[in-house]
Amino acid sequence: MKAVSRKRDRSKLPQTTSNDEGNKFSGKSSLQTSPPTELEIRGVPVHFPFRPYKCQEDYMGKVMDALHQSENALLESPTGTGKTLCLLCSTLAWQREQARAIKEKHSREPLLSQSAIAQMSSLEGSKQTTSVPTIIYASRTHSQLSQVMRELKNTRYRPRHALLGSREQMCVNPKVKKSEA
C-alpha cells in the first residue's frame, strides 16, 4: 500500500500573524491575531477576545436567534472552531443586554411596586420578565467543564457561577459514594 501525502490548501484558512501551531480559530496561539473586539450581533454588543472569523460570527448569530426567540438550538461546528468561546460570549452578552433592558424599564417606572408592574404586564398580555434570565451550562464530563472555565477567563465577562460535580467526584463518604442513585 502506497502512502499518499495530502497537503491542505492553506489559502482558504484564515491567516494569522503567529508562527505558533496553536488553535487558530479559538485564539489559543501564543500571539493573538488581533486585540479584543466588540461587535454587534443581532442588535446585541458582544465582547470577543479577538477579531472573530466569519464562521464564529455566524455561530454567535444563530445562538442569538435562538435566545431572542426563546427556542432551543442544535448547533454544530468542527473541532477547533471556537464553539465554546462563541457560545459563552454570545449568551453572556445577551444576558447582560437583558439585565440592562430590565434595569432601564424599572428606572422609568420607579413609583410602581413590583406587584403593580406584574399586574400591568399581565393586563398587556406580554411575556415581559422582571428578573435577569439564568444561564445553565451543562456538560457530560468534568474535563469539558474545565475547558469552559478556561475559556471564560479569556473573556471580559465575569458572571457569578457555580460548578456542580457528581457524587463520584465530590462525595467523601465511601458508603454513599458507592450506593445506587
Side-chain angles (χ1 to χ4, degrees), residues 134-164:
T134 300
I135 296 171
I136 299 172
Y137 195 107
S139 178
R140 190 176 58 83
T141 67
H142 289 280
S143 63
Q144 290 170 338
L145 287 176
S146 296
Q147 176 195 355
V148 170
M149 296 312 296
R150 281 192 307 273
E151 291 289 345
L152 183 60
K153 289 178 184 176
N154 292 330
T155 72
R156 293 183 185 175
Y157 301 101
R158 298 293 181 258
R160 290 186 333 173
H161 62 276
L163 245 96
L164 302 177

Side-chain angles (χ1 to χ4, degrees), residues 16 20-29 50 79-82 151:
T16 64
D20 191 12
E21 287 301 315
N23 187 331
K24 303 287 192 261
F25 284 105
S26 65
K28 292 181 182 176
S29 61
F50 52 90
T79 301
T81 55
E151 291 289 345

Side-chain angles (χ1 to χ4, degrees), residues 163-181:
L163 245 96
L164 302 177
S166 67
R167 179 173 56 206
E168 293 173 353
Q169 299 288 325
M170 305 294 286
C171 187
V172 293
N173 186 324
K175 288 181 183 178
V176 174
K177 190 173 182 176
K178 292 180 183 178
S179 69
E180 294 287 323

